[in-house]
Amino acid sequence: MDQFIYLDYQATTPCDPRVVETMLPYFTDYFANSHSDHSFGQRANQAVETAREQVASLLGVLAQEIIFTSGATEANNIAIQGAVKYRLKQNHTARQVITVCTEHKSVLEVVNALAEWGIDVVTLPVNREGLVDHEALKEALQTPTLLVSIMAANNETSIIQPVNELAKIAHEYGAIFHCDMAQIIGKIDHLSLENIDLASLSGHKIYAPKGVGVLYVRRKPRVRLSPLFYGGYQERGIRSGTLPVPLIVGMGKACEIMCQEGKEEAQCLIYYKKLLIDGLKHNIVNIKINGSIKKSLPGSVNLHFPGVQALDILNRIPHLCLSTGSACTVSSLMPSYVLLAMGLSKEEALQSFRLSFGRMTTQAQVREVIDALSCAYHDIMAGR
Ligand code: PMP
């Protein structure tokens, strides 16, 4: 792998070796079911509760507000379907759910599926910066609304929405506010869940393993959810099933590391991003940034190379691991629906790709990326 430079930390991160080391004993030595009453089971249970504390501490919330899931997709599903189902069972009269057109598919597809339950879905647009208009949200909330779901940071553009302000507006109109926080957790240090009722996290975006995530469920005022599936009543009945203790331990450790090192890491990534953008702007005068640099995640950027197909660039630099869009859904030949929603033409969207640095990126790699991208661009423009 040495010759490859990984630049796709928004798709997934490697497991931090310290996370792997912490997990290993829970596969072999302390493998018991965390719900078994014997002392072996209790040891596993203790590890789960420690992980819960570690996650809660990163989020600045209570440990009892943390539900372990298989990832952010499941957390989004439980949050959206669970909140709506519960409120419908209570004979709530509202029938509307509001979301945004640039959400991850694990929100958009769930919300669309709610139509089968007689729910009306309002999908808000975004502006050229990828941001939601507060007035448009207020306008949509004139119709009684069960739930508003808006992500904190986009997985393609890394644009950060002011979700606490949006949540406040939702509350003024009596709606629950859910936030997909898979991309933002641990990446910025002034994140607050103050007004958020439900939030989704993914382990593999923060150097924990794939297959584990978290749903934050606010206790005061309490948000009640119906489960997606029924079983042994684990995780307060919201997510039944035997807990994957090693994965949960890994998630906890990853959060602990983020608590200790996240701030410094973010500073380093901001520096790398500036280095990259300055270097590329110097070499490619007409390069553009999709969205706003100031309102985006520290190590991520969405680049637009006018006049050149993104795939042509990527095909010339196969040692750089980059994606043109979300790894989770579309074929690379499709223009990104997120960029189209921000007002880019189909052509402009196909000339764009995201790039993200992370914990294992080095300054030497950043410099190599600047050179490789610049060469590839100029070679294509020169017809070489
Ligand atoms: N939401 C966002 C914003 C994401 O980026 C992702 C992962 N690409 C998910 C949800 C889904 O997360 P998971 O892979 O843990 O299901």
Side-chain angles (χ1 to χ4, degrees):
M1 275 298 279
D2 277 357
Q3 69 274 35
F4 291 101
I5 300 180
Y6 188 72
L7 300 162
D8 206 9
Y9 281 81
Q10 280 192 273
T12 196
T13 58
C15 250
D16 189 298
R18 293 167 289 181
V19 167
V20 177
E21 196 188 336
T22 312
M23 288 166 62
L24 283 176
Y26 293 91
F27 286 105
T28 48
D29 301 342
Y30 312 123
F31 56 84
N33 187 321
S34 60
H35 280 82
S36 294
D37 284 337
H38 48 69
S39 56
F40 215 31
Q42 286 317 297
R43 178 155 197 165
N45 185 46
Q46 191 50 52
V48 168
E49 294 317 313
T50 300
R52 210 184 294 283
E53 297 278 355
Q54 288 164 322
V55 176
S57 166
L58 178 65
L59 301 183
V61 301
L62 301 171
Q64 305 96 289
E65 296 176 315
I66 300 300
I67 301 291
F68 287 110
T69 67
S70 64
T73 299
E74 187 185 0
N76 285 340
N77 270 272
I78 301 176
I80 296 168
Q81 295 191 52
V84 169
K85 210 165 144 187
Y86 184 81
R87 289 192 122 188
L88 291 181
K89 272 203 291 194
Q90 303 301 305
N91 293 323
H92 208 281
T93 48
R95 284 289 176 277
Q96 179 169 274
V97 169
I98 300 173
T99 190
V100 178
C101 58
T102 48
E103 293 293 309
H104 191 264
K105 289 288 181 188
S106 60
V107 166
L108 290 176
E109 293 297 320
V110 186
V111 166
N112 287 337
L114 294 180
E116 288 170 22
W117 301 356
I119 300 295
D120 298 322
V121 177
V122 173
T123 310
L124 299 174
V126 293
N127 64 16
R128 189 80 191 189
E129 284 195 316
L131 298 170
V132 177
D133 178 12
H134 292 201
E135 293 309 313
L137 175 61
K138 284 182 193 164
E139 178 69 30
L141 283 163
Q142 300 301 322
T143 303
T145 300
L146 294 162
L147 176 85
V148 176
S149 178
I150 302 181
M151 72 195 331
N154 187 270
N155 47 300
E156 291 191 35
T157 59
S158 77
I159 295 303
I160 300 171
Q161 299 281 351
V163 282
N164 271 302
E165 289 170 30
L166 296 166
K168 222 168 162 181
I169 297 173
H171 289 165
E172 280 163 20
Y173 292 83
I176 295 177
F177 192 87
H178 164 250
C179 183
D180 179 345
M181 293 195 152
Q183 291 288 342
I184 206 166
I185 291 301
K187 313 282 167 63
I188 61 168
D189 72 331
H190 48 276
L191 183 74
S192 154
L193 272 69
E194 197 185 342
N195 298 316
I196 313 292
D197 299 307
L198 299 160
S200 307
L201 274 62
S202 172
H204 71 98
K205 310 288 183 188
I206 55 164
Y207 309 93
K210 293 162 187 62
V212 64
V214 158
L215 174 64
Y216 158 76
V217 184
R218 185 182 185 144
R219 265 179 100 78
K220 275 191 186 161
R222 196 182 189 110
V223 181
R224 295 187 184 274
L225 300 170
S226 291
L228 288 190
F229 47 83
Y230 300 87
Y233 214 78
Q234 288 91 343
E235 299 296 274
R236 302 209 322 269
I238 294 173
R239 207 285 185 175
S240 286
T242 302
L243 296 183
V245 179
L247 302 184
I248 289 171
V249 166
M251 181 81 188
K253 182 67 185 176
C255 289
E256 185 190 64
I257 295 172
M258 275 300 187
C259 266
Q260 292 161 351
E261 301 174 8
K263 206 169 168 177
E264 212 174 308
E265 192 167 293
Q267 289 309 315
C268 177
L269 294 177
I270 288 169
Y271 172 70
Y272 286 170
K273 182 156 94 172
K274 183 169 172 2
L275 204 64
L276 176 88
I277 293 172
D278 289 350
L280 289 176
K281 279 191 170 163
H282 179 264
N283 296 346
I284 306 171
V285 280
N286 58 343
I287 194 167
K288 291 184 181 147
I289 309 298
N290 294 320
S292 145
I293 301 177
K294 274 198 190 135
K295 292 175 190 151
S296 61
L297 293 173
S300 306
V301 63
N302 198 296
L303 299 164
H304 174 202
F305 294 77
V308 172
Q309 292 281 306
L311 267 185
D312 287 347
I313 297 186
L314 302 194
N315 286 340
R316 282 175 184 249
I317 44 171
H319 66 298
L320 303 193
C321 302
L322 285 156
S323 333
T324 51
S326 165
C328 320
T329 46
V330 288
S331 128
S332 310
L333 296 171
M334 298 284 285
S336 146
Y337 69 89
V338 173
L339 296 180
L340 295 180
M342 286 164 64
L344 273 77
S345 66
K346 191 175 165 207
E347 193 184 22
E348 289 169 328
L350 288 169
Q351 294 169 346
S352 303
F353 57 82
R354 70 174 180 192
L355 184 156
S356 42
F357 299 130
R359 187 171 293 167
M360 285 73 183
T361 307
T362 63
Q363 188 161 328
Q365 287 181 334
V366 179
R367 295 195 187 282
E368 201 178 324
V369 172
I370 298 169
D371 288 346
L373 286 175
S374 307
C375 280
Y377 175 81
H378 288 299
D379 280 354
I380 296 167
M381 290 305 266
R384 288 193 282 264

